[in-house]
C-alpha cells in the first residue's frame, strides 16, 4: 500500500511540473515588471457606433497629477488609430484590444491589436500599434529615444539578430527581404520615424512600432496583407547592448546591480533564458 501511495504522489508531482512548464512566458510577451510597479491598471473602452477601442488607465499612483497626465497621454495615443480611417465612422468597423508587455516604475509598454474594416473595402486590416510611456517625465517614448538607430542597428536587423513572434507564419529571410527595396539611409529613416500614428498619410509614415518585455526590445514591422499585415520580432537586450542609450531613465527598470554602465547595458546582469518561440497571431477570421 505504501509503495502504491508513493507512486501516486510521484505521478502528481510530475504532472504539476508539466503544467507549470506549459505556463511559461516567452521573451516576447511578459509582464514581470509588474512586481516592481507602484500603481495599478484598469481597462477602459471608447465606444462609438461599430468602433470599440480598449485601452488601459492608471490608478493608485501616489502623484495624482502625474497619473492624470499619463492617463490623458495613453487615451490620446490609443485613439490615434482612427487616423488610418478618414471615412465617416458610420462605415467603419473597428475593434482594438491591448496587452501590457512591461509595467514598471520608469516604463509602461502597451501593445494594441485588432482589426479594422471599412465598408466596401476588399478585406479587413490586421492592426498593431504601441505606446511606450516614460512614467517619470511623463512622456511618450519612441524607438529613437532608447537606441541609436544607425548602421550598427541596421546591420543587426539585416543579419537576423532577432527572434520571431510567429516562426510558423514568417521566417527571418522573409522579414529581412521585405525591406530589401530600401537603402541604408531610407531604412534608418523608417526606424527613426517609428512609434507614431501622427505620420499616417504623410511621407514619414513607417508603420513600425516598438515595445518592451523583460528580456527583449520588440519591434513590429509592416508586411503584406497575405502575410498578416504585420510581423513582430525581438532583439534580446544583450544583442543590442552596444547601441542602447543607457542615459534614458526607462532602462532603470531593467537594472540589476550595475547593469547599466557607461551608457550601455552590461548583458551579464540580464538573465536571458532559452525559451522556444511560441506563436501569437492576431489574424482575424471574423470577416472570412
Amino acid at each position: 500500500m505504501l509503495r502504491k501511495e508513493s507512486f501516486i504522489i510521484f505521478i502528481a508531482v510530475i504532472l504539476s511540473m508539466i503544467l507549470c512548464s506549459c505556463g511559461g512566458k516567452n521573451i516576447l510577451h511578459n509582464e514581470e515588471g509588474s512586481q516592481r510597479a507602484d500603481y495599478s491598471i484598469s481597462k477602459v473602452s471608447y465606444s462609438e457606433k461599430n468602433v470599440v477601442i480598449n485601452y488601459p488607465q492608471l490608478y493608485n499612483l501616489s502623484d495624482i497629477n502625474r497619473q492624470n497626465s499619463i492617463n490623458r497621454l495613453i487615451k490620446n495615443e490609443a485613439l490615434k488609430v482612427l487616423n488610418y480611417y478618414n471615412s465617416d465612422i458610420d462605415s467603419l468597423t473597428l475593434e482594438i484590444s491591448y496587452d501590457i508587455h512591461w509595467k514598471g516604475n520608469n516604463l509602461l509598454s502597451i501593445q494594441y491589436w485588432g482589426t479594422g474594416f471599412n465598408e466596401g473595402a476588399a478585406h479587413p486590416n490586421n492592426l498593431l500599434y504601441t505606446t511606450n510611456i516614460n512614467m517619470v517625465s511623463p512622456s511618450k517614448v519612441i524607438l529613437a529615444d532608447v537606441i541609436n538607430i544607425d548602421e550598427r542597428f541596421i546591420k543587426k536587423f539585416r543579419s537576423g539578430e532577432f527572434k520571431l513572434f510567429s516562426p510558423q507564419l514568417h521566417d527571418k529571410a522573409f522579414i529581412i527581404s521585405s525591406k530589401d527595396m530600401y537603402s541604408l539611409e531610407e531604412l534608418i529613416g523608417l526606424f527613426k520615424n517609428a512609434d507614431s500614428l501622427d505620420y499616417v498619410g504623410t511621407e514619414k509614415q513607417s508603420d513600425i512600432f516598438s515595445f518592451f518585455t523583460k528580456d527583449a526590445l520588440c519591434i513590429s514591422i509592416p508586411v503584406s496583407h497575405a502575410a498578416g499585415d504585420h510581423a513582430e520580432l525581438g532583439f534580446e537586450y544583450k544583442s543590442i547592448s552596444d547601441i542602447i542609450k543607457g542615459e534614458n531613465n526607462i532602462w532603470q527598470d531593467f537594472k540589476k546591480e550595475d547593469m547599466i554602465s557607461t551608457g550601455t547595458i552590461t548583458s551579464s546582469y540580464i538573465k536571458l533564458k532559452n525559451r522556444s518561440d511560441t506563436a501569437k497571431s492576431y489574424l482575424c477570421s471574423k470577416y472570412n
Side-chain angles (χ1 to χ4, degrees):
M1 179 64 70
L2 182 59
R3 181 179 298 177
K4 181 178 180 181
E5 290 176 351
S6 299
F7 178 78
I8 293 174
I9 293 173
F10 173 77
I11 294 298
V13 170
I14 293 298
L15 288 174
S16 177
M17 292 173 63
I18 292 173
L19 290 173
C20 288
S21 65
C22 290
K25 302 173 183 177
N26 73 33
I27 68 164
L28 303 180
H29 186 114
N30 62 72
E31 299 179 52
E32 294 184 46
S34 61
Q35 297 177 356
R36 294 185 290 274
D38 59 2
Y39 56 90
S40 302
I41 290 179
S42 62
K43 183 174 76 172
V44 178
S45 297
Y46 168 89
S47 180
E48 183 178 358
K49 301 292 179 63
N50 293 319
V51 172
V52 178
I53 302 173
N54 297 298
Y55 59 92
Q57 291 283 267
L58 275 59
Y59 65 97
N60 288 339
L61 190 64
S62 57
D63 186 336
I64 188 65
N65 291 326
R66 184 156 54 94
Q67 175 177 289
N68 291 339
S69 295
I70 292 170
N71 282 338
R72 284 194 298 269
L73 179 58
I74 291 173
K75 179 181 179 180
N76 290 340
E77 291 296 320
L79 299 188
K80 285 181 181 179
V81 66
L82 294 171
N83 290 350
Y84 281 122
Y85 303 96
N86 294 320
S87 61
D88 187 354
I89 200 170
D90 290 335
S91 65
L92 176 63
T93 299
L94 178 68
E95 186 172 353
I96 298 294
S97 300
Y98 71 87
D99 291 319
I100 304 295
H101 282 279
W102 181 264
K103 178 187 171 190
N105 287 326
N106 289 277
L107 174 70
L108 176 65
S109 187
I110 311 162
Q111 180 197 78
Y112 298 95
W113 54 275
T115 56
F117 180 72
N118 249 331
E119 186 177 334
H123 52 72
N125 295 316
N126 301 295
L127 302 168
L128 189 146
Y129 61 104
T130 66
T131 302
N132 300 305
I133 304 291
N134 186 318
M135 297 295 297
V136 177
S137 307
S139 59
K140 181 180 173 182
V141 177
I142 64 174
L143 187 62
D145 293 331
V146 296
I147 63 170
N148 291 295
I149 301 174
D150 52 23
E151 186 174 357
R152 293 172 298 169
F153 172 70
I154 301 303
K155 182 178 179 181
K156 293 175 188 296
F157 172 75
R158 284 179 165 167
S159 61
E161 294 183 30
F162 54 78
K163 294 191 175 184
L164 295 172
F165 249 75
S166 305
Q168 86 285 12
L169 294 177
H170 316 108
D171 59 29
K172 289 186 178 182
F174 169 78
I175 297 297
I176 296 167
S177 65
S178 70
K179 299 292 175 281
D180 275 350
M181 75 287 295
Y182 296 107
S183 67
L184 171 63
E185 292 74 19
E186 289 171 332
L187 204 49
I188 288 175
L190 284 174
F191 281 105
K192 284 187 174 180
N193 291 333
D195 298 313
S196 178
L197 289 169
D198 294 324
Y199 296 149
V200 172
T202 75
E203 62 180 11
K204 289 186 175 182
Q205 179 177 346
S206 72
D207 294 326
I208 295 174
F209 297 94
S210 65
F211 57 98
F212 298 76
T213 71
K214 177 179 180 291
D215 299 311
L217 171 60
C218 303
I219 297 176
S220 175
I221 66 171
V223 295
S224 67
H225 177 70
D229 289 324
H230 55 81
E232 286 62 67
L233 51 97
F235 291 90
E236 291 183 336
Y237 294 129
K238 67 177 181 179
S239 72
I240 56 171
S241 62
D242 60 321
I243 59 171
I244 279 175
K245 294 182 177 180
E247 68 275 9
N248 193 309
N249 71 282
I250 67 101
W251 293 115
Q252 296 298 313
D253 271 4
F254 306 92
K255 184 177 181 180
K256 289 184 175 66
E257 299 179 15
D258 295 322
M259 186 174 68
I260 296 179
S261 176
T262 62
T264 64
I265 285 188
T266 305
S267 60
S268 61
Y269 289 97
I270 304 176
K271 296 180 181 178
L272 293 164
K273 299 179 181 178
N274 294 323
R275 304 171 186 170
S276 61
D277 292 334
T278 53
K280 186 175 183 182
S281 172
Y282 297 126
L283 304 181
C284 181
S285 61
K286 64 187 289 187
Y287 298 102
N288 293 342

